[in-house]
């Protein structure tokens, strides 16, 4: 189909991208300046004074949730793996109805600034706030590390900016937003980012679909022609049902335990606006995933899987490659800037949530027994913001060369196991006790962290990264040689023209950059393969590959915990321990206060009107 | 006799009705959402062939595609159903209970 060799400017610092990015920074810093003058007390800092509307908060929730990793990552997954990417994207939405039905209204009615306010409503403040703050911080830090490493890597990939500089820019901007503008500035950064991302993705989908006459039938029929029908069928994503169920639990209930999401419910005036905001957020996020999946399929057909994986082996540049393919450098620059803005907004939201856990829960709630004045709390909150921002940059530097994909999974596992069970039981169960809550939080946290460390994702892929890589490449070589030896003559007939075409691309004057390098590598591999077949050394090579595979397999120590997702055990354990310990010893005081809690949960009498502070 | 204290309110049949109805609707919707998603996951785990069949003769679209998109859309519709009930019925009941308490 393609007559001339495909090229890309992805990975160069394009003036268009810089222009759009500078405009975004100017606007958001302007908003921060405006918000700073309206952020004088704790209620304004943590909750934007409770003056955000349902629609605004819905957009901001969507902005908090739609990360660059999910935008670029899911589009990439769909473009390389087809239907499996779609399955994956569904899991990211289904937690939102749960947030609405079980959490949003009671949370708004019972709490003040953080979800630990709710858990501690009728239980003993100090142990609960300590445990809940630790649960929040662990969730936030894992999520933040994943986002920071993702930010550095993506920015390097998109603009060829050094990893460290990218982290410093992100760190400085997010600290500025939160430190000076508090929740009000953070909310507006989220809203702008959500509008840009939804708008940019919509435009990309419209442009891509115009090439298929706006017919999904044609898009899928071309995808199926290009990559066989299996591209549109479930593949290898779900092979172990219990593992898949476990992941589903973490995604569904983890969303309802993410501190930066829960915190957003205090920015609206009442429970009615809180529930409205979830309705909007669910709609926006669902729409966004449908767009992202369309982008993935569109990129697979229009740009091609081979080309996408040449830019980045993980496929993360699929959406940007599609933008460049149909809209040129201008559209690519715009979308890259949007992706950058997306990263910034998400880390700002996380920083604010982490700072609140440090200042509102730990400092005021535990250290000062809940008796700090406004001025003191603000001071501590701001110090916590700067600390957390610096920690985030350091974590990003520390984990630079690590595979951090597991950290988002870990954040959801901790959120669903440490935060969610205690939160739900404290709202709904009269007999729930302080001991039960504290034990539930620590149990969920520990089981989630320990099992993930002992799972293949960390125990093999992280701790034994080199050996796993050797194992993967040995397996790939074996599969390849196995296929070759079935019909060497036919293989030769397909390899040779491919090598010739590549040689033309490689020897084109002025060919440089990422694609060129990938082509050079592929050509060398093809030439070696051709020499192997022509020299009749295929049988020997196959034997050697089998031996290498056995050896590589033997060098990886198998993970003690066979599942990738601990949700069943960590969430189950947290509920079980919470229930058993609460039943074991009653807490009369907490039971007595349940009446008031119940009335407040259902009708909101006595709820904190954050705006009246 | 209108309820005056928190304790009396909990005994109030109007309040009890409100709490009962809310629990019923939120629980039902939560269970529907769980069945929807985990049913989808179970289909992938146990019956890939069902999802792999084409929606119609000559079409490339597999049944799995509209089902996956359907889970997303229905999840949103469920939040819509809840909000429709809450805005129209629940808020009125809350207002009524609050008014009876003189708030």
């Amino acid at each position: 189909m393609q007559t001339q060799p495909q090229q890309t400017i992805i990975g160069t610092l394009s003036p268009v991208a810089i222009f759009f990015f500078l405009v975004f920074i100017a606007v958001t810093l302007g908003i921060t300046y405006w918000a700073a003058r309206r952020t004088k007390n704790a209620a304004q800092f943590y909750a934007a004074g409770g003056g955000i509307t349902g629609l605004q908060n819905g957009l901001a929730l969507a902005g908090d949730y739609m990360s660059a990793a999910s935008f670029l990552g899911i589009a990439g997954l769909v473009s390389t793996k087809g239907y499996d990417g779609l399955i994956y994207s569904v899991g990211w939405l289904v937690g939102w109805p749960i947030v609405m039905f079980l959490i949003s209204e009671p949370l708004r009615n019972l709490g003040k600034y953080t979800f630990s306010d709710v858990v501690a409503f009728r239980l003993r403040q100090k142990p609960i706030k300590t445990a809940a703050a630790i649960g929040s911080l662990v969730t936030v830090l894992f999520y933040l590390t994943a986002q920071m490493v993702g930010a550095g890597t993506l920015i390097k990939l998109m603009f060829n900016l050094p990893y460290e500089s990218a982290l410093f820019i992100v760190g400085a901007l997010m600290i500025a937003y939160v430190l000076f503008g508090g929740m009000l500035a953070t909310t507006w950064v989220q809203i702008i980012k959500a509008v840009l991302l939804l708008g940019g993705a919509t435009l990309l989908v419209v442009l891509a679909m115009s090439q298929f006459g706006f017919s999904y039938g044609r898009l899928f029929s071309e995808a199926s022609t290009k990559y066989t029908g299996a591209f549109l069928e479930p593949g290898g994503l779900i092979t172990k049902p219990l593992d898949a169920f476990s992941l589903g639990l973490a995604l569904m209930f983890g969303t309802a335990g993410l501190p930066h999401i829960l915190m957003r419910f205090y920015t609206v005036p009442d429970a009615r606006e809180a529930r409205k905001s979830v309705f909007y957020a669910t709609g926006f996020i669902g729409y966004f995933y449908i767009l992202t999946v369309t982008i993935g399929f569109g990129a697979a057909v229009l740009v091609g899987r081979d080309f996408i994986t040449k830019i980045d082996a993980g496929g993360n540049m699929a959406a940007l490659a599609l933008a460049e393919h149909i809209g040129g450098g201008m559209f690519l620059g715009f979308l890259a800037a949007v992706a950058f803005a997306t990263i910034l907004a998400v880390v700002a939201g996380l920083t604010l949530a982490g700072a609140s856990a440090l200042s509102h829960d730990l400092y005021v709630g535990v250290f000062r027994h809940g008796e700090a004045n406004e001025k003191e709390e603000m001071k501590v909150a701001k110090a916590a913001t700067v600390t957390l921002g610096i920690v985030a940059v350091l974590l990003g530097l520390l984990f630079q060369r690590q595979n951090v994909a597991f950290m988002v999974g870990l954040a959801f596992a901790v959120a669903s196991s440490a935060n969610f069970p205690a939160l739900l039981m404290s709202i709904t169960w009269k007999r729930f006790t302080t001991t039960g809550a504290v034990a539930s939080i620590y149990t969920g946290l520990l089981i989630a962290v320990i099992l993930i460390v002992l799972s293949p994702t960390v125990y093999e892929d992280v701790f034994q990264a080199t050996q796993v890589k050797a194992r993967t490449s040995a397996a790939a070589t074996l599969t390849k040689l196995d296929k070759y030896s079935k019909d060497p003559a036919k293989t030769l007939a397909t390899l040779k023209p491919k090598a010739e075409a590549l040689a033309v691309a490689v020897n084109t004057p002025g060919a440089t950059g990422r694609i060129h390098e990938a082509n050079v590598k592929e050509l060398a591999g093809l030439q070696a393969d051709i020499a192997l077949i022509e020299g009749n050394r295929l049988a020997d090579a196959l034997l050697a590959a089998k031996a290498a595979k056995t050896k590589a397999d033997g060098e990886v120590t198998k993970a003690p915990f066979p599942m990738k997702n601990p949700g069943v055990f960590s969430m189950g354990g947290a509920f079980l321990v919470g229930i058993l310990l609460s039943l074991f010893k009653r807490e009369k005081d907490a039971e007595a206060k349940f009446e008031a809690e119940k009335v407040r949960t259902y009708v909101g009498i006595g709820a904190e009107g954050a705006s009246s502070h | 006799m209108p309820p005056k204290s928190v304790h009396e309110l909990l005994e109030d049949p109007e309040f009890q009705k409100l709490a009962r109805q809310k629990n019923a609707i939120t629980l039902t919707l939560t269970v529907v959402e769980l069945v929807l998603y985990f049913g989808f996951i179970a289909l992938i785990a146990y019956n890939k062939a069902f999802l792999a069949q084409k929606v119609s003769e000559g079409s490339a679209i597999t049944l799995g595609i509209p089902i996956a998109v359907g889970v997303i859309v229905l999840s949103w519709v469920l939040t819509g159903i809840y909000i429709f009930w809450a805005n129209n019925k629940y808020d009125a009941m809350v207002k009524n209970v609050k008014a009876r308490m003189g708030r």
Side-chain angles (χ1 to χ4, degrees):
Chain A
M1 212 162 74
Q2 216 73 34
T3 44
Q4 65 205 58
Q6 276 175 304
Q7 290 295 334
T8 178
I9 58 163
I10 294 174
T12 56
L13 201 54
S14 100
V16 188
I18 298 175
F19 168 76
F20 282 121
F21 183 61
L22 288 179
V23 170
F24 176 80
I25 292 181
V27 170
T28 48
L29 286 180
I31 285 172
T32 307
Y33 177 76
W34 163 81
R37 291 185 302 167
R38 283 162 182 75
T39 304
K40 299 278 179 240
N41 60 34
Q44 288 158 342
F45 184 79
Y46 294 124
I52 305 290
T53 67
L55 175 62
Q56 289 166 348
N57 194 42
L59 273 169
L61 282 168
D64 249 329
Y65 200 69
M66 303 180 295
S67 63
S70 67
F71 174 52
L72 302 175
I74 288 178
L77 203 61
V78 172
S79 74
T80 54
K81 300 237 188 299
Y83 188 76
D84 275 2
L86 174 55
I87 299 174
Y88 189 69
S89 75
V90 172
W92 292 95
L93 182 84
V94 293
W96 284 92
I98 304 292
V99 172
M100 180 184 238
F101 305 147
L102 299 182
I103 301 294
S104 65
E105 294 174 43
L107 193 80
R108 179 64 195 87
N109 280 340
L110 294 173
K112 198 173 174 192
Y113 304 137
T114 63
F115 86 88
S116 66
D117 289 339
V118 178
V119 186
F121 187 83
R122 67 195 157 93
L123 304 175
R124 292 204 308 279
Q125 297 289 314
K126 272 178 140 182
I128 295 290
K129 288 223 157 169
T130 311
I134 291 174
S136 298
L137 280 171
V138 171
T139 314
V140 164
L141 286 177
F142 279 127
Y143 212 126
L144 198 53
T145 307
Q147 294 294 335
M148 289 304 275
V149 175
T153 315
L154 284 177
I155 291 167
K156 197 174 156 201
L157 204 54
M158 289 189 297
F159 307 109
N160 211 17
L161 215 64
Y163 183 91
E164 291 81 5
S165 329
L167 279 196
F168 289 133
I169 296 175
V170 170
L173 283 169
M174 78 182 186
I175 292 176
Y177 296 150
V178 179
L179 182 65
F180 301 114
M183 182 52 108
L184 189 56
T186 308
T187 301
W188 279 101
V189 170
Q190 305 286 19
I191 292 174
I192 293 172
K193 163 259 173 105
V195 170
L196 283 174
L197 188 56
L198 289 168
T202 304
L203 189 57
L204 184 53
V205 164
V206 169
L207 289 174
M209 288 307 288
S210 73
Q211 311 229 354
F212 300 97
F214 295 100
S215 152
Y216 271 95
R218 259 185 68 193
L219 168 67
F220 287 122
S221 120
E222 286 190 28
S224 138
T225 313
K226 196 165 179 178
Y227 301 106
T228 78
F231 198 60
L232 305 179
E233 295 167 10
L237 188 71
I238 291 179
T239 45
K240 298 179 186 163
L242 188 65
D243 216 342
F245 177 66
S246 214
L247 172 65
L249 282 182
L251 289 176
M252 270 194 137
F253 299 104
T255 309
L258 291 175
H260 64 298
I261 298 292
L262 298 179
M263 196 178 174
R264 295 223 57 88
F265 291 110
Y266 301 113
T267 65
V268 293
D270 52 34
R272 186 186 164 93
E273 292 300 310
R275 80 169 86 98
K276 262 162 84 178
S277 62
V278 190
F279 174 69
Y280 288 122
T282 314
F284 289 133
I285 296 168
Y287 172 65
F288 169 74
Y289 282 135
I290 292 171
L291 290 178
T292 310
V293 168
T294 310
I295 291 168
F297 281 115
V301 173
L302 294 171
V303 183
R305 203 155 61 175
D306 289 343
F307 188 71
I308 292 166
T309 47
K310 266 180 198 169
I311 310 173
D312 169 63
N316 287 316
M317 292 297 112
L320 295 180
L322 180 65
E324 186 181 23
H325 180 86
I326 54 182
M330 186 81 176
F331 194 33
L332 169 68
F334 171 69
L335 220 61
V338 171
F340 202 159
T342 292
I343 292 168
L344 265 178
V346 172
V347 293
L350 284 165
T351 305
L352 182 54
S356 316
L358 280 174
S359 57
H360 180 66
D361 297 341
L362 277 185
Y363 181 81
V364 180
V366 179
F367 186 68
R368 299 282 281 114
H369 317 286
E371 284 167 7
N373 63 35
E374 286 278 324
K375 231 174 144 186
E376 192 183 349
E377 180 159 6
M378 278 290 275
K379 226 191 227 164
V380 178
K382 293 201 158 185
T385 303
V386 177
T387 312
L388 216 80
I390 294 170
V391 168
V393 173
L394 291 178
L395 284 171
L397 292 174
L398 189 68
F399 286 93
Q400 178 174 1
R401 282 174 222 297
Q402 303 290 319
N403 173 0
V404 293
F406 74 93
M407 284 197 186
V408 173
L410 188 49
F412 272 82
V414 172
S416 64
S417 309
N419 307 344
F420 174 74
L423 181 59
L424 185 70
M425 287 192 280
S426 74
I427 297 170
T428 52
W429 191 34
K430 187 176 176 180
R431 285 282 304 272
F432 199 44
T433 65
T434 304
T435 321
V438 170
S440 167
I441 291 172
Y442 290 130
T443 304
L445 178 67
L446 281 176
I447 298 183
V449 173
I450 290 172
L451 287 187
I452 285 193
V453 169
L454 297 180
S455 77
T457 354
V458 175
Y459 198 85
E460 292 175 20
D461 298 354
V462 177
F463 292 165
Q464 308 177 72
T466 344
Q467 291 92 322
V468 168
K469 217 174 151 193
R471 182 178 68 181
T472 314
S473 95
T477 311
L478 183 60
T479 316
K480 186 182 77 180
L481 292 178
D482 217 28
K483 218 174 93 195
Y484 285 1
S485 50
K486 287 210 174 89
D487 192 348
K490 203 178 146 199
T491 307
L492 215 50
T494 45
L495 291 188
K496 276 192 163 171
K498 227 170 141 186
E500 276 159 28
L502 262 178
V504 173
V506 167
N507 295 323
T508 308
T512 48
R514 196 173 278 129
I515 298 298
H516 177 67
E517 283 160 28
N519 282 342
V520 169
K521 221 171 133 191
E522 196 187 343
L523 181 60
L526 281 176
Q527 282 167 340
D529 289 353
I530 291 169
L532 202 65
I533 301 172
E534 285 183 336
N536 278 326
R537 285 177 284 125
L538 199 53
D540 294 341
L542 193 61
L543 272 179
K546 271 182 190 151
K549 167 85 182 358
T550 316
K551 186 166 171 277
D553 278 348
E555 271 167 18
V556 179
T557 316
K558 251 189 136 24
F561 180 64
M563 287 164 55
K564 287 186 172 166
N565 302 285
V568 176
F569 301 102
S570 54
M571 203 175 130
F575 270 114
L576 194 68
V577 167
I579 291 169
L580 287 181
L581 285 180
S582 297
L583 289 178
F584 186 68
K585 192 162 179 278
R586 296 182 86 124
E587 191 173 329
K588 292 270 181 265
D589 208 29
E591 283 179 42
K593 286 187 199 148
F594 187 71
E595 288 195 339
E597 175 170 2
K598 194 171 173 189
V599 169
R600 200 157 139 176
T601 303
Y602 285 99
V603 298
I605 288 173
E608 298 276 344
S611 44
S612 66
H613 278 266
Chain B
M1 186 71 158
K4 291 201 173 52
S5 66
V6 161
H7 187 72
E8 276 178 42
L9 182 66
L10 282 171
E11 306 284 311
D12 182 42
E14 290 282 317
F15 176 80
Q16 286 174 345
K17 188 177 144 207
L18 164 157
R20 223 178 20 246
Q21 283 199 9
K22 179 159 186 188
N23 291 346
I25 197 150
T26 50
L27 256 163
T28 310
L29 289 171
T30 302
V31 169
V32 172
E33 178 65 25
L34 288 172
V35 169
L36 200 62
Y37 179 60
F38 287 112
F40 174 59
I41 295 295
L43 261 186
I44 301 163
Y46 297 109
N47 199 349
K48 284 196 174 66
F50 176 78
L51 293 170
Q53 56 186 317
K54 307 279 183 276
V55 285
S56 64
E57 200 65 42
S59 166
I61 299 177
T62 55
L63 203 53
I65 292 170
I67 288 181
V69 173
V71 174
I72 293 181
V73 173
L74 279 177
S75 296
W76 184 55
V77 169
L78 288 182
T79 64
I81 291 172
Y82 176 71
I83 208 166
F84 184 78
W85 172 80
N87 283 357
N88 290 302
K89 294 269 163 63
Y90 188 66
D91 284 351
M93 285 194 279
V94 169
K95 213 174 150 193
N96 181 27
V97 166
K98 275 185 166 173
R100 278 157 50 81
M101 276 192 82
R103 303 258 190 148

